[in-house]
Amino acid sequence: MDKTELLNGLRKTIQQVLKAPYYQKKLAEVGIFYPADVKTLEDFQRIPLTEKEDLRQNYPFGLMAEPLEKIVRVHASSGTTGKPTVVGYTREDIKLWAQIVANSLRRVGVTSNDVIQIAYGYGLFTGGMGLHYGCEELGAMAIPISGGNTHRQLMIMRDFGSTVLCCTPSYALYLAESLEEAGISKEDLKLRVGVFGAEPWTERMRAELEARLGIRALDIYGLSEIMGPGVAMECLKCNGLHIDEHFYPEVLDEEGNILPEGETGELVFTSLGKMGFPVLRYRTKDLSSITYGTCECGHTGWSMQRVSARVDDMLIIRGVNVFPSQIEEAILSVGGIEPHYLIVVDREANLDTLEVLVEVSPDSFSDEIRELEQLQDKLKAKIEDTIGISARVRLVEPKSIPRSEGKAKRVEDKRKKIF
Ligand code: DLL
């Protein structure tokens, strides 16, 4: 897409959002009354950012840009506090979203011959329905099993010959573990591709899932405010996630300045072509970097690095910034343990404490105490080396850390008191 096409697309989105009085007021404050007032990309960059709070203030339907009779579906993201943020889709939006997801699946070699087990939750969350419509658009066979009911998942995976598994990476790990327990080997299955997203995961987790399930594990990204899954997806070359052309990305630093290609900051998206709930410069709170170019797979346009964390996932422990993904990398680089962990942050005598609970594998669990102590020391050293502050490490029994069927909860920050 060249600059003129992009500006035309951005102007169309502006025209659409101006149907919502809230946006009219916001844009008027920066002298934008008509789409034609945005003549250059610099004009566009003067537009104030949209935040989750804007959606909350307009709860539930205040930012819809089409009359409600044209909205055929809503989704919502739960959020940890307060009201959910609600988004709406017209019939055309649903069609567009299905095409975007179908293209994402095609990019990783999924075809109409595939049998797709959709183990993302169906409901207000966009994961299940988003993948489902994409799968039908592609002409593949959708198994709308939703998340949970793990034993049933295994039975269906084997009996129906699922070739593609769609779920969060943490649930995929739980499924892998449950398959091993049930004595079902990867050779008994037809699985070949995993479409994993909705939460941060690491390269080491990819290696783990690929080995245990005998698949290619690919990253899919999205958020309900922008559309849902499919905003970006990896191809088989794994050179970052290719951003679909219906979304215009920017990356900003903490002060809101636009960062050059390749630098990490907060991802901001503007939708292009979405009618029911168009968004202008939406702050995702996700940390990533973007580059423009052509991939060997044929994609030309923007690509983003995998989202390693959200801005608000960052823990400040004794003044040092720590991301859960750094701890995951450190843990998975040490053998003899399961990739199940829980990070517990607390405060004792006015000092922040960090404890990492790590599950040992059933084999290591039967080792001698001395060997377990050595493993614990090794983990501690690795974590401290990675994050730069001291941590306590506690080895816990196999299966003692709760498994996730959707987005995993890896951090318990006891310093945050809920009143
Ligand atoms: O999680 C949409 C989705 C469903 C994406 C299924 C992929 C697969 P929300 O519930 O609105 O939507 O949550 C969006 O989840 O801002 C990120 O913080 C996180 N997230 C989504 N995909 C990834 C990913 C869906 N691949 C929030 N890697 C986003 C890291 C992700 N984080």
Side-chain angles (χ1 to χ4, degrees), residues 52 76-78 85 97 120 124-128 131 167-169 195-201 218-232 241 282 284-287 304 306-310 312-313 407:
K52 213 176 183 88
S77 73
S78 53
T85 46
W97 184 17
Y120 284 114
L124 285 175
F125 173 57
T126 50
L131 262 305
C167 61
T168 59
V195 179
F196 303 143
E199 64 183 7
W201 52 309
L218 288 319
D219 196 356
I220 185 166
Y221 169 84
L223 60 166
S224 53
E225 292 86 344
I226 303 300
M227 189 76 132
V231 171
L241 289 80
Y282 183 75
T284 63
K285 302 256 177 131
D286 292 327
L287 291 170
M304 57 186 259
R306 67 160 66 237
V307 171
S308 53
R310 288 176 59 77
D312 40 17
D313 274 353
K407 299 189 190 232

Side-chain angles (χ1 to χ4, degrees), residues 315-317 343-347 352-355 411-416:
L315 295 161
I316 304 179
I317 306 172
I343 300 166
V344 183
V345 189
D346 206 347
R347 183 167 286 142
D352 294 334
T353 58
L354 167 65
E355 183 173 45
V411 180
E412 204 180 311
D413 193 343
K414 295 183 173 167
R415 299 171 304 179
K416 286 185 192 151

Side-chain angles (χ1 to χ4, degrees), residues 65-358:
E66 289 289 337
L68 289 189
E69 66 255 30
K70 287 216 171 154
I71 302 293
V72 299
R73 190 181 324 152
V74 290
H75 281 286
S77 73
S78 53
T80 41
T81 50
K83 303 265 195 212
T85 46
V86 184
V87 295
Y89 306 75
T90 62
R91 198 177 296 284
E92 293 71 37
D93 292 337
I94 295 284
K95 179 86 187 149
L96 176 65
W97 184 17
Q99 286 166 347
I100 290 172
V101 175
N103 284 339
S104 308
L105 294 172
R106 272 188 205 107
R107 201 173 280 152
V108 294
V110 179
T111 71
S112 57
N113 293 326
D114 276 294
V115 177
I116 308 188
Q117 183 155 342
I118 304 173
Y120 284 114
Y122 279 64
L124 285 175
F125 173 57
T126 50
M129 305 255 311
L131 262 305
H132 185 103
Y133 274 63
C135 168
E136 285 192 353
E137 173 70 23
L138 188 65
M141 186 199 286
I143 309 176
I145 187 163
S146 196
N149 214 336
T150 301
H151 281 290
R152 196 139 187 257
Q153 299 269 0
L154 308 186
M155 182 183 74
I156 284 182
M157 191 180 285
R158 186 183 52 193
D159 297 353
F160 292 14
S162 307
T163 54
V164 180
L165 172 66
C166 305
C167 61
T168 59
S170 53
Y171 192 43
L173 186 65
Y174 182 19
L175 286 169
E177 177 182 67
S178 308
L179 281 164
E180 288 154 15
E181 263 172 37
I184 303 174
S185 81
K186 51 192 181 195
E187 287 72 32
D188 300 328
L189 303 172
K190 296 213 173 100
L191 269 193
R192 57 182 195 87
V193 172
V195 179
F196 303 143
E199 64 183 7
W201 52 309
T202 57
E203 280 303 320
R204 286 194 193 272
M205 189 64 90
R206 188 205 305 269
E208 180 88 23
L209 289 169
E210 291 193 334
R212 286 170 80 164
L213 289 167
I215 56 169
R216 290 292 307 271
L218 288 319
D219 196 356
I220 185 166
Y221 169 84
L223 60 166
S224 53
E225 292 86 344
I226 303 300
M227 189 76 132
V231 171
M233 166 118 191
E234 278 180 324
C235 68
L236 293 167
K237 303 282 170 204
C238 296
N239 291 326
L241 289 80
H242 301 327
I243 299 174
D244 184 89
E245 60 180 6
H246 292 89
F247 310 103
Y248 174 63
E250 298 170 89
V251 172
L252 307 186
D253 69 10
E254 282 167 21
E255 277 81 49
N257 304 309
I258 296 178
L259 288 171
E261 277 187 37
E263 285 193 26
T264 301
E266 181 178 350
L267 269 175
V268 166
F269 282 106
T270 296
S271 64
L272 299 168
K274 200 166 68 138
M275 305 307 275
F277 190 88
V279 267
L280 269 186
R281 308 196 77 208
Y282 183 75
R283 293 185 69 159
T284 63
K285 302 256 177 131
D286 292 327
L287 291 170
S288 182
S289 62
I290 54 173
T291 45
Y292 192 90
T294 301
C295 173
E296 278 174 71
C297 75
H299 168 92
T300 296
W302 292 101
S303 294
M304 57 186 259
Q305 282 311 303
R306 67 160 66 237
V307 171
S308 53
R310 288 176 59 77
V311 178
D312 40 17
D313 274 353
M314 189 178 79
L315 295 161
I316 304 179
I317 306 172
R318 282 171 252 141
V320 175
N321 300 347
V322 175
F323 285 105
S325 56
Q326 292 176 295
I327 298 182
E328 178 174 306
E329 280 281 344
I331 295 173
L332 296 193
S333 70
V334 176
I337 37 172
E338 289 290 308
H340 299 287
Y341 61 94
L342 184 68
I343 300 166
V344 183
V345 189
D346 206 347
R347 183 167 286 142
E348 283 166 20
N350 272 331
L351 199 68
D352 294 334
T353 58
L354 167 65
E355 183 173 45
V356 188
L357 276 58
V358 185

Side-chain angles (χ1 to χ4, degrees), residues 1-10 41 248 272 292:
M1 189 185 300
D2 65 24
K3 220 171 181 172
T4 318
E5 280 173 321
L6 173 62
L7 272 169
N8 283 338
L10 295 172
L41 215 47
Y248 174 63
L272 299 168
Y292 192 90

